[in-house]
Amino acid sequence: SLLLLPQMRARISTTYAATSARARARATAAAGTAAPAACGNSSRSWWCRAPRGIDGASGSSRTALRFLASSTGGGPVRAHKPIQKGPAGSLGGSPNVLGVRREDKNKWERRAPIAPRHVEALLSQGLRVVVQPCTRRVFTDSEYEQAGAEVNEDLSECSTIVAVKEVPPERLLPGRNWCFFSHTIKAQPAGMPILDAALEKKVRLVDYECITEGGSKSGKRLVAFGAFAGYAGAIDFLRGLGERFLSLGFSTPLLHIGSAFMYPNLEEAKRAVAMAGDAIRKHGLPKALCPFNAVFTGTGNVSRGALEIFSLLPHEMVAPSALSALCDRADSGRLAPEDCHKIFIAVTTGQDMVRRRDGGTFDRDGYYAEPELYEPVFQDTVLPFSTVILNGMYWDARFPRLFTREDLHRHAVSGRDKLLGVCDITCDADGSVPTRQFASIEQPFHILNAFTEQISTNLDEPGVLFHAVDHLPSELPREASEHFGDCLLPFLPSLAAELAPGAMPQSDQMAGSDGLPMPLRGAIITEGGQLARDFRYISQLRNVRDGKVVEAEGEGASASFVKAAAKPAAAVPPVGPPAICTLELTGHLFDSGLINRVADLCEEDKARLQFLVLDIGSTIANSSFLACQVVAQSDNALETLVGKIQQAADKASVAMRRADPGALQNGSAAQSNGANAASVGASSVAGSMSVASGAKRQVLVLGAGYVVEPLVSFLLRRLDNALTIASLELREVEALIDQVPGSRSRVTPQTLDLGAVQAGSADACQKAEELVKAADLVVSLVPAQMHASVAQLAVRHKVPMVTASYVSPDMQALDQEAQEAGVLLLNEVGLDPGIDHLSAMRMIDSVKAAGSRVLRFASLCGGLPAPEAAGSNPLGYKFSWSPRGVLVASQNAARYKENDVVREIRGEDLLKHGKPITINNAFALDVLPNRDSTAFAELYGLADAPSFFRGTLRYRGYCERMLALSQLGLLKMQAGSSLQPSASLSRRRWLAEQLGASGAAEGALAAEALSEQPALLIAAVRARLAASGTDPEVGLEFLAWLGLFEDEPMPAAAKLDRPIDCLAMMLQRPETAFQPGERDMVIMRHELDAERADGVLERHVSTLVDYGLPNGTTAMAKTVGITAAICAQLILDSPDSFGVGVQRPLRRAWYEPVLPLLEAEGIRLSEHVEPLAEASRSAV
């Protein structure tokens, strides 16, 4: 089809003229009736949403539908104008009408599935093309119009609609052919709403990822973005290297290269790289950076694209084995001058990465078939001699890694740390290279410190530069779209000619009609409201993930979900090194039920099963492949288990191959003989949390509040956990179970009145005893005053307990008893307290280990509305429950240490001590002292530190407005007057009474006079605030917002003689509560000032910023619930590893495993070190 393009262009003028005439006629008929689109940037997803009535509207004008118009038919863009959605449209569409949907996943997605020149080709074949308008797309609307397309918001006439990225479920027009990357074929959770919508709306869903030669899953992909990830990755990486080299003190021509998206097209980007190459050729690179050795891994499209970019620099291709000699020449001062005027490029393949363990010759096919016969060598033969590594090769867990963080550390210690940068285009987290986090296009780089293993986005920090962005092709949208459209074009006419069928063919038939080419038929995921034959396994994977028991249907599965289904066993007791082997199974693994049988056998024998690779069979008639690792407690136990699995495989007619014991390593050859054990445990703590398995462990969860849902979801990932959730209200537990998919069969709801337990009720005490006694662990998430009663039961029945609350005096009193009983009572494992302890102690221990002296430590934390939700009230704060608690907290006394002086702050003066602070150059905040900070100085081992401070964060202006209320006496908790509830008392009169004009007959008359003359009342307030040093205008504005100058009545049932209670009721209004779709945010900040042994001052900074999900889990619930869940799971897996008694998570034994697991959940602390010119005189 591509060969016909010249002929198609030759015939395009006539077709275009006719098409344009039809479009002008439609535009004239519809003039004035169109509803234009609004391509706005929402605060979270950058979704481009359409205005009301767009999808189902008829006769919309392509001319009038413009982003330049407003949703009411004209006018400029408005930043805060609500973006409306319209109906989903009706079934149908017309044959041979192709729609192009606007991309709206994020602001960087400027690609299109077809370019304007592809429109010309389609028109010449008799198709109409309708393109949704978009001001962000790389091709303008006018370019599509000039090619003959109709630019129209309404796609309801289209039988087939194409897009690039996934489409929001509510935007899927029913009964159409839809083509996009759906991310559903592995039952990815994020793609399941799209799949459900496609089934419900009887959409024929075609996934580009599955368009392959012959329609076979094993066939070559025909529609993809080719080498553009390699192009963009290499260009961005060169830009990062330029910045990094500048931080290291070297100005290089690379500094003048921008990121790929900064250029109008690929040719301009290449020209910039070539110009940098000319400068290198003429002026050279700094000698300290030479030889500049660039190593590429793999030879696929991605690596070839990156190599093409680097080849624009002056270079010499060398064998990987020659790199060490180049470095030796530099070390001995024999580097030739011309060696600094070019870079050296080496392309590595399998033979450069591994060697046979028996010393035999490398065989590529043999390596892929039996990787356990090979050991890694890249980390010693290539890594120490590489300046940069660009990683574009395929890798899975069967194969050795190229290098690990341990290798980087080892080489740094030995002085062989030449490596300056890694460009991981594959974006495999902790895959073949130690990439620990993905970056964004806005902030594409981070530094990994091999000594501390800490990550920083500050390129001035010591360490290795990493670049890992997982949507690189979107940085080159024009060329990527052109290439993609070339691949897609041959399939569109036949697809657009058909309407999506209303029913699926017979169950044994392939999806699609005979009129569709096989590559398209093999890519149809859904049709007629059902899953296509070769994709029915998706239902099974979903059910497995949700914990349901189903019959196998068809071949194929996803490794990530089968891991969850594999029923891995309880942790192997530490009685000696475990026995390990790798098994490979090939055959009908699902139809035969063998996968479940293998998991059952491992569970029965108390072994651990980890799925490494699971390849989907090409069709239901073909075999699947599984590589798994089995860990048993001893060699004898392993041999017995493998024999059982072999028998099961033979019975299922499945071929099994066993790797040599200990052959498979996820680490490098330089690791110790215990590397195999490490690969199961320590090499991936996050992974082990989700795949270990065994007999059921009973977890008793007390409480059903907001923080419980993320905790329950986390614990239920492990099939060996069963939960009992007890709360005062059974309906709360039932509602919680409904929120967690697949939890119904593994959660037992119970009612329990802990208040009655504390009161000594015999029935309540007996039930509590029974629940605790039956548990392997108790998680108490009830009000703090109830924890001690639960802890007493836990000690009595020798059951460990976890809670997120502060250690109370009653809890601390149980320490000796708990130690004698051998019971762990772990407290303060939430956000604050919790994550603050973990992060602080890691930072403090690291600084002390380096021989530095701590001069100042400050720990700040706050739960706030996200910025876009904070502007609805003057405080910038939202109340999840009664505002009274927050108002009371603003009157708490505080104590902290500053320059060896203990500062005591009275409760009524707390708000006067609020100080402004700016975090991340983005958040303007106030910080308030948080109760007694000095108690934590001793816990942190910083009793001798001159300054120690803990603070609470609020948005800037919070303290000033709350201080105005305090100065007026409106935050008093005790009775301030003799006022009684009265329906006739106005807010204005109540305020006048609180100003102190009551208490005597003349005072009452004065208060009445003030309330009757608002100007006098305002003047009295202004005078009072000015006298106290508070900004009167700020206070007056806040009082006006509260309605205290109005004549409206006070809230019903308000205790008029208790100002703080009245104020709490007045703050209970929609503007101070989270509304549907609004997010919360948590911010945590640690600052540690230290004096190094050499006298240099530096500041260590750790920052956490986390957001909740709109209409989903809040950031506060996530950070508290996940932290508690991780600690609970660690105790379940290793009950003897953490000691006993009443504890806080202050030791290395806690922060070393917990912080990486939090990072795996997306709760990541960003850390960096910055120089200090002089010691800070302030604690904040």
Side-chain angles (χ1 to χ4, degrees), residues 483-567:
H483 170 83
F484 191 84
D486 287 344
C487 298
L488 181 61
L489 184 65
F491 302 106
L492 293 179
S494 59
L495 184 62
E498 294 191 358
L499 298 178
M504 173 66 76
Q506 296 181 10
S507 60
D508 60 342
Q509 292 182 359
M510 195 175 189
S513 71
D514 293 338
L516 296 179
M518 289 302 294
L520 267 185
R521 297 184 66 182
I524 296 173
I525 310 296
T526 67
E527 189 175 74
Q530 299 181 47
L531 286 166
R533 181 193 67 184
D534 291 338
F535 293 95
R536 289 179 195 146
Y537 67 84
I538 296 176
S539 293
Q540 182 181 355
L541 292 184
R542 295 184 69 179
N543 289 332
V544 166
R545 182 175 180 272
D546 292 340
K548 300 173 184 176
V549 179
V550 296
E551 294 182 2
E553 186 177 38
E555 281 300 312
S558 161
S560 59
F561 292 126
V562 177
K563 283 183 184 179
K567 308 179 185 175

Side-chain angles (χ1 to χ4, degrees), residues 821-1043:
V823 174
L824 172 61
L825 302 177
L826 179 61
N827 300 262
E828 303 184 14
V829 287
L831 171 65
D832 177 5
I835 298 177
D836 58 343
H837 291 335
L838 297 160
S839 172
M841 291 311 302
R842 180 171 70 176
M843 179 184 289
I844 292 166
D845 286 351
S846 174
V847 168
K848 287 184 175 180
S852 300
R853 182 170 72 96
V854 177
L855 304 177
R856 167 184 167 269
F857 181 80
S859 176
L860 320 175
C861 188
L864 301 165
E868 74 275 7
S872 62
N873 67 75
L875 290 177
Y877 192 81
K878 301 235 174 182
F879 305 97
S880 299
W881 46 84
S882 172
R884 190 179 192 278
V886 176
L887 298 180
V888 170
S890 70
Q891 302 293 290
N892 287 332
R895 193 168 184 254
Y896 63 92
K897 192 176 179 182
E898 185 175 56
N899 297 319
D900 286 319
V901 176
V902 175
R903 308 289 186 188
E904 302 275 359
I905 301 175
R906 299 183 306 168
E908 57 267 31
D909 295 331
L910 180 69
L911 290 164
K912 296 178 183 177
H913 288 77
K915 294 185 178 181
I917 184 174
T918 300
I919 291 180
N920 287 0
N921 293 323
F923 299 104
L925 306 168
D926 287 338
V927 58
L928 286 162
N930 185 5
R931 303 205 181 191
D932 186 3
S933 297
T934 61
F936 290 90
E938 186 170 348
L939 290 173
Y940 286 5
L942 296 180
D944 296 332
S947 297
F948 190 97
F949 180 88
R950 283 169 56 87
T952 300
L953 295 172
R954 296 288 184 262
Y955 279 116
R956 185 78 53 82
Y958 175 93
C959 290
E960 193 172 19
R961 290 173 174 82
M962 291 290 287
L963 180 59
L965 300 181
S966 179
Q967 299 290 56
L968 296 173
L970 302 185
L971 296 182
K972 290 180 179 178
M973 288 178 276
Q974 67 275 19
S977 68
S978 58
L979 290 173
Q980 300 299 318
S982 171
S984 61
L985 189 69
S986 71
R987 296 192 178 202
R988 193 162 62 212
R989 173 61 186 270
W990 180 82
L991 175 61
E993 296 280 354
Q994 301 310 315
L995 290 181
S998 59
E1002 59 273 18
L1005 291 173
E1008 183 176 358
L1010 283 176
S1011 66
E1012 291 179 352
Q1013 300 184 58
L1016 291 179
L1017 179 59
I1018 291 172
V1021 170
R1022 179 179 282 112
R1024 175 76 65 86
L1025 293 176
S1028 66
T1030 306
D1031 187 338
E1033 302 311 315
V1034 171
L1036 288 169
E1037 178 189 18
F1038 190 29
L1039 293 177
W1041 184 83
L1042 289 168

